Amino acid sequence: MKKLLLAGLGLLISACIFAQTTIRGTVADEQGRPLPGASVVIAETRQGAIANEQGAYLLTNLQPGL
């Protein structure tokens, strides 16, 4: 039983460490019009995306804490 609890705890900790985050949003100008082709980059990283025709972007597989 103790080994099973330790294994479960280890699995839970691993899941938390390797959890990934997704960020989505829309880029728009002051009048609310979408800005297709806009670059969205997380500061001090090389992770980013380009906004589509509707100004929407999606950043996936981000590590928590970025």
Side-chain angles (χ1 to χ4, degrees), residues 11 16 33:
L11 188 59
C16 291
R33 296 180 297 233

Side-chain angles (χ1 to χ4, degrees), residues 7-46:
L9 180 60
L11 188 59
L12 180 62
I13 291 171
S14 296
C16 291
I17 291 172
F18 295 108
Q20 297 176 341
T21 302
T22 299
I23 299 173
R24 67 179 68 229
T26 303
V27 182
D29 65 13
E30 292 83 13
Q31 287 77 37
R33 296 180 297 233
L35 292 174
S39 297
V40 179
V41 180
I42 297 175
E44 299 180 21
T45 73
R46 298 180 76 181

Side-chain angles (χ1 to χ4, degrees), residues 43-64:
E44 299 180 21
T45 73
R46 298 180 76 181
Q47 297 178 306
I50 304 293
N52 67 14
E53 300 82 29
Q54 291 82 33
Y57 65 89
L58 178 67
L59 296 164
T60 59
N61 297 326
L62 303 173
Q63 296 299 318

